[in-house]
């Protein structure tokens, strides 16, 4: 009886909180994958559904399991979960990304959260782009640095904030020699599809002696030499201190890696809690990650196809005067439709037209900037893209927008 009453009260407490979210129009729900045309997944190159990648993964697994069968990694990397395979794979990934070391994490969320919460020490200061992903916000929140946002993609604003910090430090006779300043950004923003001005940011970082941390989650596999990312495309590998690459988006599998100098790896092994206190990636994931990195240099045609789709989408959208589309030359396109109810209604209608698009609500994006996030893929046909644009246009008109 006692436990029944307690459960009841938990239920009503949680329902009250959920109702509050429902009233704000931002209640989240799980929706199963559909048979609709995919304009929502992060599988930009189609690797999650690639039979060729599956075959290569299976070959690798068969080869390693033949000598010692293993399904799980059996422990944290610091205990039984390490392997010479994981270490060799990390070295291979580090070389691919033109840096000294790499350390695997179980997801991009873990990588950002784990790395930032560990690296941002007491006395440090971090400046982060206001549109950084939740995993970065959470890592910054758990880290011990003084944290300040700067305006999205605005190096001038960042510079002003850094200059103010410098004056404050001088006024207090400098700070502890070991304190560091960090700049944290994404190279390609997940909800806008626009790129960070990395050259300018690197120059600001150099002038203010700050460390630059770049999340390449949505650029990995798509941009740069063999899909190595935007940092390498711009020749900035030696100027960016820490990078995060994720495998669950264009790379079509799962997990992530933090790449940078050897000291970063050693430091994370000692202080990154998601790495220390969680079971390491299983052999299947190692096989998938290795297979996809082997495949990346062969994917220039798919990358070119994807860019063609992006150009095609933009030209059809312009021809049909699709308003409120944010500027973007990437596979992520955002159609801003303020108000949760309006954007949900629009997404629902376009779904009934056969296209899988999802509304993105606050707090994932700022209130008033709710949007339909359209992900383009190398496997979307021109006919499908034209169909999507027409459906969006018609349905927006129905909603009086
Ligand atoms: C910019 C960015 N960083 C990190 C992540 C987290 O990556 P993962 O899905 O591998 O946890 C995401 C996922 O949506 C993202 O958009």
């Amino acid at each position: 009886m006692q436990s029944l009453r307690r459960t009841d009260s938990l239920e009503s407490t949680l329902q009250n909180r959920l109702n509050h979210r429902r009233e704000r129009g931002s209640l989240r729900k799980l929706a199963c994958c559909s048979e609709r045309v995919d304009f929502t997944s992060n599988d930009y190159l189609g690797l999650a559904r690639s039979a060729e990648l599956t075959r290569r993964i299976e070959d690798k697994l068969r080869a390693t399991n033949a000598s010692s069968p293993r399904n799980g990694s059996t422990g944290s990397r610091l205990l039984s979960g390490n392997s010479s395979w994981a270490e060799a794979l990390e070295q291979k990934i580090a070389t691919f990304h033109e840096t000294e070391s790499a350390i695997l994490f179980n997801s991009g969320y873990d990588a950002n959260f784990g790395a930032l919460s560990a690296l941002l020490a007491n006395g440090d200061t971090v400046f982060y782009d206001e549109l950084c992903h939740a995993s970065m916000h959470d890592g910054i929140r758990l880290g011990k640095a003084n944290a300040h946002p700067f305006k999205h993609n605005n190096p001038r604003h960042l510079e002003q904030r850094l200059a103010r910090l410098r004056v404050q430090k001088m006024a207090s006779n400098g700070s502890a020699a070991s304190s560091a300043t960090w700049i944290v950004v994404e190279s390609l923003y997940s909800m806008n599809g626009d790129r960070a001005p990395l050259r300018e940011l690197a120059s600001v970082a150099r002038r203010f002696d700050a460390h630059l941390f770049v999340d390449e989650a949505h650029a990995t596999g798509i941009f740069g030499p063999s899909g190595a990312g935007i940092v390498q495309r711009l020749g900035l590998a030696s100027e960016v201190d820490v990078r995060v690459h994720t495998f669950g988006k264009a790379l079509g599998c799962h997990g992530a890696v933090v790449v940078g100098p050897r000291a970063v790896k050693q430091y994370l092994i000692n202080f990154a809690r998601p790495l220390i206190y969680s079971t390491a990636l299983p052999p299947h994931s190692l096989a998938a990650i290795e297979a996809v990195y082997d495949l990346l240099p062969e994917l220039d045609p798919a990358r070119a196809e994807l860019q063609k789709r992006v150009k095609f989408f933009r030209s059809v959208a312009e021809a049909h005067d699709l308003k409120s589309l944010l500027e973007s030359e990437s596979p992520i396109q955002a159609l801003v439709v303020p108000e949760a109810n309006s954007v949900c209604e629009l997404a629902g209608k376009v779904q009934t037209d056969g296209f899988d698009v999802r509304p993105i609500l606050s707090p994932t994006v700022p209130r008033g900037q709710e949007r339909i996030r359209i992900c383009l893929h190398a496997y979307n046909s021109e006919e499908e893209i034209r169909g999507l644009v027409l459906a969006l246009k018609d349905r927006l008109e129905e909603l009086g927008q």
Side-chain angles (χ1 to χ4, degrees):
M1 209 50 193
Q2 176 78 10
S3 80
L4 187 64
R5 231 178 296 126
R6 287 188 50 202
T7 307
D8 276 355
S9 96
L10 174 64
E11 175 112 17
S12 67
T13 305
L14 298 185
Q15 276 309 337
N16 282 343
R17 293 178 194 169
L18 285 168
N19 286 343
H20 182 62
R21 185 160 253 210
R22 188 176 289 114
E23 280 154 20
R24 291 162 65 94
S26 54
L27 188 72
R28 293 175 166 129
K29 285 188 217 129
L30 293 179
C32 233
C33 311
S34 68
E35 292 306 307
R36 301 183 189 103
V37 183
D38 178 13
F39 284 110
T40 191
S41 82
N42 295 318
D43 187 19
Y44 307 111
L45 296 172
L47 291 178
R49 55 185 76 191
S50 157
E52 171 61 18
L53 181 57
T54 305
R55 191 188 57 71
R56 292 189 187 206
I57 295 168
E58 284 170 356
D59 285 352
K60 265 192 202 303
L61 258 186
R62 213 172 295 118
T64 49
N65 270 349
S67 51
S68 60
R70 259 189 158 198
N71 297 312
S73 72
T74 78
S76 150
R77 282 292 293 282
L78 278 90
L79 299 171
S80 60
N82 196 24
S83 63
S84 52
W85 188 7
E87 291 194 9
L89 175 58
E90 287 175 337
Q91 201 43 56
K92 192 168 167 173
I93 293 175
T95 305
F96 180 87
H97 288 297
E98 298 171 357
T99 185
E100 282 179 3
S101 81
I103 179 85
L104 292 165
F105 279 79
N106 290 1
S107 69
Y109 183 93
D110 276 9
N112 276 330
F113 177 74
L116 287 169
S117 58
L119 289 167
L120 303 177
N122 207 358
D124 287 0
T125 308
V126 57
F127 297 93
Y128 60 96
D129 188 290
E130 62 186 344
L131 294 194
C132 274
H133 188 258
S135 53
M136 305 166 97
H137 278 279
D138 292 355
I140 290 168
R141 223 178 282 154
L142 189 69
K144 297 199 170 53
N146 297 312
H148 308 279
F150 64 90
K151 288 182 191 154
H152 177 54
N153 274 353
N154 190 331
R156 295 289 79 75
H157 187 227
L158 169 65
E159 211 168 338
Q160 284 162 14
R161 303 216 73 164
L162 281 158
R164 205 179 310 151
L165 176 73
R166 186 177 270 176
V167 170
Q168 281 165 0
K169 276 191 175 176
M170 274 159 42
S172 61
N173 279 332
S175 59
S178 62
S179 78
T181 306
W182 294 87
I183 298 168
V184 173
V185 297
E186 292 175 31
S187 61
L188 180 70
Y189 282 86
S190 60
M191 293 298 149
N192 286 30
D194 55 347
R195 281 190 225 153
L198 283 178
R199 281 212 178 93
E200 286 161 89
L201 291 168
S203 151
V204 173
R206 215 179 308 126
R207 275 182 281 126
F208 285 87
D209 203 16
H211 306 307
L212 188 53
F213 182 112
V214 179
D215 176 2
E216 292 251 48
H218 291 274
T220 308
I222 303 178
F223 294 109
S226 298
I230 297 176
V231 169
Q232 283 170 254
R233 175 182 175 157
L234 299 175
L236 294 173
S238 60
E239 302 217 25
V240 175
D241 298 273
V242 184
R243 276 172 281 163
V244 170
H245 293 277
T246 66
F247 312 140
K249 304 185 193 301
L251 268 49
C253 35
H254 194 86
V257 73
V258 177
V259 303
R262 251 174 232 111
V264 167
K265 177 169 181 169
Q266 243 209 320
Y267 187 85
L268 295 181
I269 289 170
N270 279 276
F271 294 105
R273 295 171 71 84
L275 182 76
I276 301 165
Y277 296 108
S278 187
T279 301
L281 287 170
H284 184 277
S285 287
L286 300 187
I289 295 161
E290 184 161 27
V292 81
Y293 266 89
D294 287 346
L295 191 59
L296 280 176
E298 300 171 34
L299 297 178
D300 282 347
R303 282 185 279 273
E305 206 54 54
L306 181 60
Q307 283 314 314
K308 253 172 66 187
R309 297 292 181 270
V310 174
K311 284 207 177 85
F312 183 76
F313 173 84
R314 295 294 306 192
S315 69
V316 180
E318 196 182 322
H320 289 87
D321 198 20
L322 197 61
K323 296 205 173 69
S324 323
L325 200 57
L326 298 185
E327 242 352 280
S328 159
E329 293 171 1
S330 81
I332 301 170
Q333 301 286 328
L335 184 76
V336 176
V337 182
E339 289 298 316
N341 289 339
S342 306
V343 74
C344 287
E345 196 177 345
L346 176 65
K349 284 175 184 283
V350 175
Q351 284 166 12
T352 60
D353 293 331
F355 303 101
D356 193 358
V357 290
R358 308 288 171 97
I360 308 289
L361 309 176
S362 155
T364 303
V365 291
R367 185 163 289 280
Q369 291 185 38
E370 290 80 3
R371 66 198 60 183
I372 303 272
R373 178 176 183 259
I374 299 158
C375 284
L376 299 165
H377 310 97
Y379 52 83
N380 290 137
S381 69
E382 291 193 348
E383 198 187 338
E384 289 168 345
I385 292 172
R386 194 191 309 279
L388 172 70
V389 172
L390 291 176
L392 285 166
K393 178 83 186 154
D394 289 350
R395 297 303 196 169
L396 272 168
E397 275 170 17
E398 263 177 50
L399 291 173
Q401 305 233 359

